[in-house]
Amino acid sequence: MSTSDHNVVLHVADVHMRFGGLHALADVDLEIEEGKTHAIIGPNGAGKSTLLNVCVGRLTPTSGAVIFDGQIITGMKPHEINQAGVARVFQTPEIFPELSVLENVMAPAFAKRDGAFKLNFLHNLGKEAEIREEAAHFIEDVGMTAQIDAHSGALSRGDKRRLELAMCLIQHPRLLLLDEPTAGMSRHDTNTTIELLKKIKERGMTKVIIEHDMHVVFSLADKISVLAQGRIIAEGTPDEVRNDPRVQEAYLGGATE
Amino acid sequence: MFALPKKQLIIFVIFALVVLTMPLWMSPLGAAYPGLLQKFAIYGLLALGFNILFGLTGYLSFGHAAFLGVGSYTAVWSFKLLTMDAVPAIILAAILSGLFALLIGYVSLRRSGIYFSILTLAFAQMSYNLAYSVLTPITNGETSLQLSLQDPRIIDLTFMERGQGLPTVSLLGIDMSGYSGFYFCAVVLIMGFFIAQKITISPFGLMLKGIKSNQNRMKYTGFNTRPYMLSAFVISGIYAGIAGGLLAVTDPLAGAERMQWTASGEVVLMTVLGGAGTLFGPIMGAWIVKYFENIFSAFNDTVLHNIFAFVPEGFREWVVSCAGLFVGEGWHLTLGLVFVIVVVFLPGGLMEGYRRIVSKFGAGKPNQPNSSAPDSPAPVKQPAE
């Protein structure tokens, strides 16, 4: 705990990210407080996904640092960042399509229990009753008990997303990053997902959401940061952001699709 | 630790029975002679081990023959330097091929997909060329590594006098040629099958399947995928090394051609033919390939004339010359056709054919874990706010 304010779970400190001539992130400074749902919004190409990729170790920033829980995580490998307590839901659901729903949720539980690598090839998966039960519990949590033995590649997009969420939740992450959790979903699926995320929020899990859908943002976020052309142009509570003229110009008024 | 769940135990017992009774049920097929039965067991083991890498993780190694070769050379050296007993030879073959796999795997696994395959192929060809020329003092190059009357055999010769003629490989005094050699190989194959079964139903096996399914997700789920891959690679290399050792046990001779790329390709063919990712498929693939190689290649015109004796004279000549294309030297053609037909109509190999038959007749619930179902896209709606 080197940060002065111990309520800050994730601190993105003066991050710059350049791709050749493109300045994708410029001097981004962001603090995510414990237990809060922090939404990052902005028009297409504003650098939202880049920011998330910097946080999970997919990209290493040109300069600046990402500090998670008092520890600098820039330059760490994705699995190390996950082991430190950061889980991520991707824009297109990343699951194990060849495995069953149960196996999909069991795998992350093993990562949590056994660490990044364990050569346990003489153990019997059938004897792991504890992990099996825990996985079943989290599958129930996202309302997929009926599909527990289903082949996950055949699920609908909404179900894949819920499955991916269960895979993240079973790890009890300190920080959950969600990249457009409702992208490409029907209105019904979107609403189910919002309900689910509200339920998680009540448990006090810290979340960062990147989202296009303002309905989702305003129903979930405690705090919103607005990103435009790689810079944070506004930050505040949903009401403050809604009424900010700069935001209306850059995003809500100007660039809505 | 060494227990299997009931269903797996039944599979194991059936498999052990099938392998041990091979001399009986192979005899109507004309394949029940020890030399071929030994090959069935040995190449079955090779394909079984190859499948731990390819079937579970999806990484296609095109250089597995290198480990086979290392196993053979090690075993022959063990006969020459230490003892004619089979067990130390096999253990040393396993250790050395494992170390060799660790080295090759460590470098090759820095890349995935086609680049990984090319790297393994390059290493295997390198090993082949080294064995063929540069390392002649160790491998005896072209002439193959053989036993000789002057071999030191330190362990053997402390207990007994050097005999007349070349010694034979033995196991606690039992000669390892003929049927006893087959049973030794069969027992090793059955042990290998047991371990492969354990791996498949272990958390480790689940992680390997996870890597095959979505390596990216594995990383973001907190798994360090590299050591998982490397372990699978080394285990698979050890299987190949033991298979190579067994080849030397049944015939104490090791040549460089065992490491050539065609030998590596053969394992891939066996695994795909039988069904990658299944336990029994690759072994069956190995049996089929070896059957074709040894039985079909032995057919000549006289045999064909006897088979087609019922066909009227005159026409018979024509039938025999047509069929002749597919046997004898042309056995590759038959194998190639079988392979093409299987890959086109049964992409999951012969085991997929078996699964289809089972599900068609309703004996079990239909499950195709290898076929990825098409993604059903949910209606896309852009938020209008």
Side-chain angles (χ1 to χ4, degrees), chain B residues 45-46 48-54 61 64 67 101 230-241:
Chain B
L45 185 70
L46 177 67
L48 180 66
F50 180 76
N51 183 60
I52 291 173
L53 181 70
F54 178 54
S61 159
H64 252 52
F67 310 125
L230 191 57
S231 312
F233 193 87
V234 170
I235 292 173
S236 166
I238 290 174
Y239 269 76

Side-chain angles (χ1 to χ4, degrees), chain B residues 68-94 96-97 145 147 169 241-254 258:
Chain B
L68 192 75
V70 168
S72 286
Y73 281 122
T74 312
V76 175
W77 273 113
S78 158
F79 298 145
K80 285 168 85 71
L81 297 178
L82 303 172
T83 164
M84 289 305 289
D85 197 85
V87 174
I90 295 301
I91 292 170
L92 287 172
L96 245 78
S97 56
L145 188 63
L147 302 178
V169 185
I242 293 175
L246 289 174
L247 281 176
V249 165
T250 54
D251 180 14
L253 185 87
R258 215 163 260 177

Side-chain angles (χ1 to χ4, degrees), chain B residues 7 12 49 77 79 109 113 117 131 134 156 171 238 287 289 340:
Chain B
K7 193 184 154 209
F12 175 72
W77 273 113
F79 298 145
L109 286 166
S117 305
V134 183
D156 281 1
L171 175 71
I238 290 174
W287 291 352
V289 170
V340 168

Side-chain angles (χ1 to χ4, degrees), chain A residues 80-157:
Chain A
E80 293 167 334
I81 294 177
N82 174 279
Q83 289 287 348
V86 182
R88 173 175 183 180
V89 170
F90 286 80
Q91 201 167 350
T92 36
E94 293 265 2
I95 55 166
F96 305 117
E98 277 82 13
L99 304 182
S100 75
V101 167
L102 180 65
E103 287 170 324
N104 262 277
V105 184
M106 280 172 79
F110 280 113
K112 177 80 178 171
R113 193 192 70 184
D114 297 340
F117 173 68
K118 194 176 183 194
L119 189 60
N120 47 358
F121 67 93
L122 291 177
H123 284 235
N124 186 348
L125 202 54
K127 293 237 170 83
E128 302 282 2
E130 218 167 279
I131 282 196
R132 196 172 287 265
E133 271 163 35
E134 200 185 0
H137 169 75
F138 278 90
I139 291 167
E140 191 192 340
D141 224 19
V142 296
M144 291 183 71
T145 305
Q147 290 135 297
I148 193 160
D149 290 318
H151 181 67
S152 67
L155 297 174
S156 75
R157 181 151 181 168

Side-chain angles (χ1 to χ4, degrees), chain B residues 165-193:
Chain B
L166 282 176
T168 50
V169 185
S170 61
L171 175 71
L172 306 168
I174 308 163
D175 189 12
M176 278 292 108
S177 59
Y179 278 108
S180 51
F182 161 70
Y183 282 111
F184 179 63
C185 297
V187 168
V188 177
L189 171 64
I190 291 166
M191 278 158 53
F193 189 81

Side-chain angles (χ1 to χ4, degrees), chain B residues 149-372:
Chain B
L149 290 168
Q150 287 79 42
D151 287 336
R153 288 204 308 285
I154 33 180
I155 297 178
D156 281 1
L157 294 179
T158 33
F159 296 110
M160 58 184 105
E161 287 289 298
R162 192 185 284 276
Q164 291 274 310
L166 282 176
T168 50
V169 185
S170 61
L171 175 71
L172 306 168
I174 308 163
D175 189 12
M176 278 292 108
S177 59
Y179 278 108
S180 51
F182 161 70
Y183 282 111
F184 179 63
C185 297
V187 168
V188 177
L189 171 64
I190 291 166
M191 278 158 53
F193 189 81
F194 176 78
I195 292 174
Q197 261 185 314
K198 289 295 285 185
I199 291 174
T200 314
I201 59 162
S202 70
F204 176 75
L206 178 66
M207 300 328 153
L208 296 185
K209 289 178 211 159
I211 289 172
K212 181 181 186 179
S213 189
N214 188 345
Q215 180 155 200
N216 216 18
R217 185 20 111 192
M218 285 300 279
K219 288 179 183 160
Y220 288 97
T221 297
F223 289 107
N224 191 0
T225 52
R226 189 78 62 71
Y228 277 101
M229 305 292 317
L230 191 57
S231 312
F233 193 87
V234 170
I235 292 173
S236 166
I238 290 174
Y239 269 76
I242 293 175
L246 289 174
L247 281 176
V249 165
T250 54
D251 180 14
L253 185 87
E257 76 290 338
R258 215 163 260 177
M259 290 180 153
Q260 219 176 351
W261 69 272
T262 45
S264 299
E266 198 181 52
V267 196
V268 181
L269 196 133
M270 290 167 177
T271 308
V272 173
L273 183 67
T278 63
L279 272 171
F280 185 60
I283 299 173
M284 191 165 58
W287 291 352
I288 290 169
V289 170
K290 286 295 147 190
Y291 184 80
F292 274 91
E293 186 185 292
N294 289 278
I295 302 296
F296 270 54
S297 66
F299 282 14
N300 53 29
D301 279 5
T302 331
V303 179
L304 286 176
H305 272 286
N306 289 335
I307 292 173
F308 293 107
F310 60 92
V311 181
E313 195 86 33
F315 193 54
R316 195 190 302 161
E317 281 305 310
W318 187 79
V319 171
V320 166
S321 59
C322 271
L325 288 174
F326 294 92
V327 295
E329 289 283 289
W331 71 271
H332 283 110
L333 185 60
T334 322
L335 183 63
L337 282 175
V338 170
F339 186 73
V340 168
I341 291 167
V342 166
V343 169
V344 170
F345 294 103
L346 298 168
L350 291 169
M351 288 308 278
E352 187 183 329
Y354 165 76
R355 270 199 301 274
R356 282 191 196 171
I357 292 167
V358 169
S359 63
K360 193 156 194 168
F361 292 102
K365 53 176 188 273
N367 57 337
Q368 290 132 316
N370 283 328
S371 64
S372 54

